[in-house]
Structure formats: structure tokens, C-alpha cells
Amino acid sequence: MEAWMVAVIAAGASAVIGTIFACLFYRVGYNRRKRKAEAEIGSAEEEAKRIRNEGLKLAETSKKEALISAKEEILK
């Protein structure tokens, strides 16, 4: 086999292997970014729930305070 044929075969094999690795690393990176984004969304949703529950508790407390104040005004 001549040297130029070996060089062509080696170049073709390198191109195929390079393409395979490029596809593999692309997929790994895609999955990593996807998991990170899903985790950030999950934590944002948890924070939104916490803020909402805190607001509901504050509203309930304010409502009770207003009712007590109104009852005190009525009794005066």
C-alpha cells in the first residue's frame, strides 16, 4: 500500500472519529445545560411558593389584627 493511500485512510478515520466525539460531547453538554436549567427553574418555583405562603400568612395576620381593632372600636 502506498504512503498516500495510508494518509487518505488515516485522514478519513480521523474525520470519522472526530465527528463521533463532537456529537458525543455536544450531547453531553446539552444534557448538562438542560439539567442545570431544570434545577434553576425548580428552585425558582420553590422560592415563589415560599414567598406566596409568606404573603398569605402576613395577610391572615393583618386580617386578624384588623378584626380585633374593629371589635375594640365597637366596644368603646
Side-chain angles (χ1 to χ4, degrees):
M1 196 181 284
E2 294 188 33
W4 68 271
M5 294 173 105
V6 173
V8 169
I9 292 171
S14 294
V16 169
I17 291 171
T19 302
I20 290 170
F21 276 108
C23 291
L24 176 68
F25 288 126
Y26 173 80
R27 190 66 181 165
V28 168
Y30 174 83
N31 286 336
R32 184 175 292 170
R33 286 189 307 273
K34 182 179 175 185
R35 280 193 306 270
K36 184 178 179 184
E38 287 172 349
E40 289 176 2
I41 289 169
S43 74
E45 288 174 347
E46 289 298 319
E47 181 68 9
K49 286 178 187 176
R50 184 191 66 76
I51 291 170
R52 180 181 177 270
N53 290 335
E54 186 178 308
L56 290 173
K57 287 178 186 176
L58 182 62
E60 188 64 31
T61 302
S62 296
K63 180 181 173 183
K64 287 178 182 178
E65 289 175 356
L67 285 172
I68 291 170
S69 292
K71 287 179 183 178
E72 288 175 354
E73 282 294 317
I74 292 172
L75 294 176
K76 285 185 182 181

